[in-house]
Amino acid sequence: MTILYHNSSQIIQVEDQGRLYKRGAEMSEIPILEKGWMLVENGKIIDLGSGKCPGCERYDESVDLQGKLVLPAFVDSHTHLVYAANREDEFAMRLSGKSYAEIAAAGGGILNSARKLAEAPEEALLHGAYHRLQDLMRMGTGALEIKSGYGLSTESELKMLRIVRQLKEKSGLDIKSTFLGAHAIPEKFKGNQEGYVNLVIDEMLPAIAEKSLADYVDVFCEEGYFNLDQSLRILEAAKAYGLSAKVHVNQFNSLGAIEAMVDMGALSLDHLEVMSPKEISYLADSQTIATALPGCSLFLDIPYAPGRAIIDEGGILALATDFNPGSAPGGNMALMMSLACTQMKLSTEEALVAATLNGAAAIEMSDEIGSLERGKWANFITLPPGFSLASIPYHFGHNLIMDLYLKGEKKL
């Protein structure tokens, strides 16, 4: 099946160099085709150009884009999409002056979500997560990562990862799964952190690996959660099962994790709200992707990751939503671009690359998605005629997405 998409106002971020990511100054480079066309065969892009498509008379179907703007679908490389219930009550507590740490100490936070998830039937969890996934698609997300971490027991962690697998099968989206059993210390292990770390290593990891339920492993390396030594032990144990590391670090404190995680070859380090100049340089000099989560910073009123400095130092920066019920209850990648521009001082071009190609690199799919180039899947979104790339961060909070195409098939 060959489809010609034509009569766009622009096709943005057209690549021809086969780059798996962009770093530093490269992130400002986004080739644009004026009045662009795209030829897609069996879901993959086989050619692109401007104006009239030469030699494109042979096609099975023609789609007139009617002057719409075309750009790659968003790739959200850090979400917690599977959960049992929202946490508006904790939001009210924060508005009354309670801190994130105080709410967690009072039995809220991650442990609250874990209790509710353990009680929820698998079918209900799948239904809720699928509904949220459809919302993300309507806002232009075409691929994403989903973490476990609200299970905190072998049974519940397996349940969450089974749901992620079902979401992938049901939706047809490219979804990567991450095992985050080390998200918090469950109540039954209070005062026995080592016991829980051993459970993650000796019981959870083998059970998950046996069923091939995870692509990656994650740890919340933070004061009050898992220290650096515990985090490294879990991540090293996961290596034996072929699970690369995507790690929560430097959200509230710097524990020396950045240097250690880079040295062990972590695929991405996520959050990064608290960083020293030395840590910025160390991360920027590596192949590890820095993933900023500006929605969390907005919601918790904490610092934003130093995205401008990471790019200026030559680093690889990605943007993701951190969509979760406690600290980032929103999955709008366009809003993440807006926050990256206004609060992290990125250009519109840099924000787009961070939300597409570099996000795809953070889930090891940038050879297939994340930019519009020959040989990649035709995963793209459209904006109305008359809108530009700058319209996305400018109209913050608005959903400008008209169409989502995945592998050349219109999804909305």
Side-chain angles (χ1 to χ4, degrees):
M1 179 74 167
T2 303
I3 304 174
L4 174 65
Y5 299 91
H6 64 102
N7 194 27
S8 70
S9 60
Q10 294 180 324
I11 299 180
I12 293 179
Q13 202 174 321
V14 177
E15 295 292 335
D16 60 4
Q17 300 182 43
R19 289 185 286 196
L20 296 179
Y21 53 77
K22 292 182 180 179
R23 65 189 314 147
E26 296 173 343
M27 291 181 63
S28 294
E29 303 167 7
I30 56 164
I32 296 174
L33 294 175
E34 301 290 343
K35 301 186 183 303
W37 55 265
M38 182 164 49
L39 197 61
V40 175
E41 186 173 77
N42 298 324
K44 288 194 172 182
I45 300 168
I46 59 173
D47 205 0
L48 310 95
S50 296
K52 180 176 172 56
C53 176
C56 284
E57 290 76 16
R58 292 185 179 181
Y59 50 79
D60 301 304
E61 183 180 342
S62 174
V63 176
D64 186 347
L65 294 170
Q66 301 178 321
K68 296 175 185 175
L69 182 75
V70 175
L71 60 156
F74 298 128
V75 181
D76 191 350
S77 63
H78 182 129
T79 82
H80 305 255
L81 194 71
V82 178
Y83 56 84
N86 292 320
R87 286 165 27 197
E88 293 99 334
D89 53 339
E90 295 181 14
F91 179 57
M93 291 171 69
R94 279 207 304 111
L95 294 179
S96 69
K98 298 290 185 183
S99 70
Y100 184 85
E102 288 171 330
I103 293 169
I110 296 166
L111 297 185
N112 186 9
S113 286
R115 284 190 295 271
K116 292 175 180 177
L117 187 132
E119 297 165 357
E122 196 161 325
E123 184 177 347
L125 290 169
L126 176 61
H127 177 78
Y130 186 67
H131 177 75
R132 289 188 285 274
L133 184 59
Q134 290 178 307
D135 282 343
L136 299 191
M137 292 174 66
R138 283 188 282 269
M139 292 185 284
T141 294
L144 69 160
E145 177 254 27
I146 304 175
K147 301 179 188 295
S148 66
Y150 292 135
L152 306 186
S153 71
T154 303
E155 179 183 358
S156 291
E157 288 291 313
L158 288 169
K159 178 166 70 172
M160 289 190 74
L161 291 170
R162 285 196 302 269
I163 291 166
V164 175
R165 175 176 284 177
Q166 292 174 72
L167 287 172
K168 183 175 181 178
E169 294 169 353
K170 186 174 181 179
S171 69
L173 264 70
D174 290 312
I175 298 175
K176 292 294 186 81
S177 59
T178 298
F179 167 54
L180 179 55
H183 199 192
I185 304 296
E187 292 171 330
K188 68 182 292 185
F189 283 89
K190 188 175 181 179
N192 183 20
Q193 282 196 341
E194 284 300 309
Y196 185 65
V197 170
N198 291 335
L199 179 71
V200 170
I201 293 172
D202 297 333
E203 184 174 306
M204 291 187 188
L205 273 170
I208 288 161
E210 180 184 3
K211 301 180 186 305
S212 301
L213 287 173
D215 299 295
Y216 306 110
V217 63
D218 192 354
V219 176
F220 189 13
C221 184
E222 184 55 70
E223 286 185 9
Y225 294 88
F226 297 87
N227 63 36
L228 180 56
D229 177 69
Q230 292 167 335
S231 300
L232 290 172
R233 282 164 47 208
I234 292 168
L235 299 175
E236 288 292 345
K239 273 188 178 181
Y241 299 103
L243 300 179
S244 299
K246 291 172 58 66
V247 195
H248 284 61
V249 298
N250 287 53
Q251 182 175 4
F252 302 112
N253 300 278
S254 176
L255 307 180
I258 288 177
E259 294 91 335
M261 301 300 177
V262 166
D263 289 347
M264 74 169 295
L267 173 61
S268 74
L269 299 183
D270 302 17
H271 275 293
L272 304 171
E273 290 89 346
V274 178
M275 294 183 76
S276 68
K278 180 182 176 182
E279 289 173 316
I280 292 171
S281 295
Y282 202 90
L283 179 55
D285 287 341
S286 75
Q287 301 301 311
T288 298
I289 297 163
T291 302
L293 310 172
C296 179
S297 297
L298 173 69
F299 195 72
L300 293 185
D301 192 23
I302 61 176
Y304 287 79
R308 178 75 270 145
I310 290 169
I311 293 174
D312 288 346
E313 288 286 324
I316 311 164
L317 183 73
L319 287 174
T321 65
D322 193 21
F323 187 20
N324 74 79
S327 61
N332 188 339
M333 283 292 286
L335 177 59
M336 301 307 108
M337 285 183 60
S338 183
L339 292 171
C341 292
T342 61
Q343 305 302 311
M344 296 164 56
K345 311 308 178 187
L346 271 65
S347 69
T348 306
E349 292 81 5
E350 290 167 338
L352 178 66
V353 170
T356 55
L357 182 64
N358 287 358
I363 57 171
E364 298 180 297
M365 292 200 67
S366 55
D367 59 335
E368 299 181 80
I369 58 174
S371 61
L372 300 174
E373 58 185 292
R374 295 172 184 85
K376 287 193 176 184
W377 293 114
N379 285 13
F380 62 94
I381 53 180
T382 69
L383 270 62
F387 284 75
S388 68
L389 175 59
S391 301
I392 297 176
Y394 174 75
H395 292 282
F396 69 93
H398 285 254
N399 183 15
L400 302 180
I401 308 304
M402 292 192 72
D403 309 299
L404 169 68
Y405 288 83
L406 297 179
K407 298 182 179 178
E409 180 182 347
K410 187 173 180 179
K411 296 296 183 179
L412 54 90

